[in-house]
Amino acid sequence: MQLLDGKYLSSQIKQEIAAEVAQIREQGGKIPHLVAILVGDNGASETYVASKMKNCEEVGMHSTLIRFDPSVSEEELLDKVREVNENPDMDGLIVQLPVPAHINPDRVMETINPAKDVDGFHPINIGRMAKGLPAYISATPQGVLEMLKRYNIETSGKHCVVVGRSQIVGLPMSILMQRNTYPGNCTVTLTHSRTQNLAEICRSADILVAALGKPEFVKADMVKEGAVVIDVGLERVPDASKKSGFSLKGDVKFDEVAPKTSYITPVPGGVGLMTICSLMQNTLKAARREIY
């Protein structure tokens, strides 16, 4: 069993991005600029956004955080999105999800200029990705691909089972893994909460991607010997032994599953760190106008 070490890889990728940004600065070019919009005071969202801003700073990019009260109207939020769209200094824009119930997240995503949609959530980017055209790819699936590539994991002809069909992870992951490229060329099964014989299907996977948001759902009896297991989950579970009162768990029961695998991602220290790197890579592409 080998760990797919997100901490090591993300450090490597950040060094690469920092070197590129330094080169842009030396040549008098425009420094990439990421804008994040945060609505309300969701604790997890606060943590995610703070981490994104901090990482931008570490690699020498500009970042701006725009905050709104949870009572902000949908129209006021959309006006701010349009304002960022039109600002040539701002390259990438993310609106941190979830947003309050009175705001339609699809309307928000569709209002973001596809050329600044570094989260890869706009229907145009999803469609371009599905067709194999240049596109911003959703940060978590892109982080998983980067991991597979940097560890030289063979994917061609393998059976990849994705557990979870979210538009942010499961669905794009299933599309990306079957494309005629590397990583890719898998036979893909996309499973979800209504799938019958789920454990049996998971046992047939050469590559298993767990992205359903249920702590330690995937047990040892759902994984075959030698499988590659990618754990996308990150949930807070009450834990009295911790000072914080909780511990972080993935969708895979790590201690039980790890001995059966050839490769596995830890939680924390796995896919989550790669997600932030992907966001910065997309912002760099946006500043260079690589996609659009």
Side-chain angles (χ1 to χ4, degrees), residues 48 210 213-215 231-237 247-251 266-269 272-273:
Y48 295 147
K214 290 187 178 177
D231 189 348
V232 179
L234 185 65
E235 291 85 38
R236 293 181 176 191
V237 175
S247 55
L248 295 172
K249 299 287 184 186
D251 288 347
V267 175
L273 295 167

Side-chain angles (χ1 to χ4, degrees), residues 3-274:
L3 276 185
L4 295 170
D5 189 344
K7 196 171 180 182
Y8 167 74
L9 285 185
S10 64
S11 152
Q12 200 176 46
I13 293 166
K14 277 161 62 176
Q15 284 174 22
E16 293 165 11
I17 295 170
E20 289 193 51
V21 174
Q23 193 176 23
I24 292 169
R25 186 174 269 111
E26 278 169 27
Q27 294 168 352
K30 185 193 165 309
I31 302 301
H33 187 172
L34 175 67
V35 178
I37 297 178
L38 180 60
V39 184
D41 47 13
N42 177 300
S45 292
E46 291 269 3
T47 304
Y48 295 147
V49 169
S51 179
K52 289 165 185 175
M53 301 289 103
K54 178 172 171 279
N55 277 273
C56 279
E57 194 180 306
E58 285 174 3
V59 298
M61 289 183 179
H62 295 322
S63 65
T64 299
L65 173 57
I66 300 168
R67 290 176 174 274
F68 284 107
D69 287 333
S71 58
V72 67
S73 71
E74 181 174 279
E75 211 43 55
E76 191 181 343
L77 176 59
L78 295 180
D79 282 344
K80 179 56 74 173
V81 169
R82 293 182 191 108
E83 187 185 308
V84 175
N85 284 345
E86 288 161 19
N87 186 332
D89 178 55
M90 295 173 166
D91 303 300
L93 170 61
I94 60 169
V95 178
Q96 184 65 41
L97 300 176
V99 287
H102 66 280
I103 296 171
N104 180 342
D106 288 331
R107 259 200 96 192
V108 176
M109 294 305 128
E110 287 169 20
T111 303
I112 295 172
N113 179 348
K116 295 192 177 190
D117 168 41
V118 289
D119 256 338
F121 294 163
H122 193 287
I124 286 177
N125 278 315
I126 294 169
R128 287 174 69 99
M129 174 200 68
K131 282 180 67 68
L133 297 171
Y136 294 115
I137 292 169
S138 184
T140 299
Q142 183 172 300
V144 172
L145 293 185
E146 194 74 32
M147 226 171 204
L148 294 170
K149 193 188 298 178
R150 290 186 182 237
Y151 274 90
N152 297 310
I153 292 171
E154 182 57 61
T155 60
S156 183
K158 303 294 184 184
H159 184 203
C160 174
V161 174
V162 180
V163 188
R165 56 180 164 185
S166 76
Q167 291 182 27
I168 293 172
V169 182
L171 180 63
M173 198 76 243
S174 69
I175 293 168
L176 292 163
M177 290 302 280
Q178 56 77 38
R179 291 195 309 181
N180 183 16
T181 182
Y182 175 75
N185 279 315
C186 288
T187 299
V188 179
T189 304
L190 179 61
T191 67
H192 46 78
S193 58
R194 304 290 175 88
T195 300
Q196 295 182 359
N197 305 323
L198 180 58
E200 189 183 326
I201 294 168
C202 289
R203 275 194 298 276
S204 70
D206 301 305
I207 301 168
L208 180 63
V209 182
L212 70 166
K214 290 187 178 177
E216 301 190 324
F217 178 85
V218 176
K219 310 286 197 300
D221 64 354
M222 297 171 71
V223 178
K224 79 172 178 184
E225 290 287 340
V228 176
V229 175
I230 309 288
D231 189 348
V232 179
L234 185 65
E235 291 85 38
R236 293 181 176 191
V237 175
D239 185 345
S241 70
K242 300 280 184 186
K243 191 177 174 184
S244 62
F246 65 85
S247 55
L248 295 172
K249 299 287 184 186
D251 288 347
V252 176
K253 197 166 176 56
F254 183 88
D255 293 346
E256 194 180 283
V257 170
K260 294 184 78 172
T261 65
S262 55
Y263 294 90
I264 188 168
T265 58
V267 175
V271 175
L273 295 167
M274 299 298 291

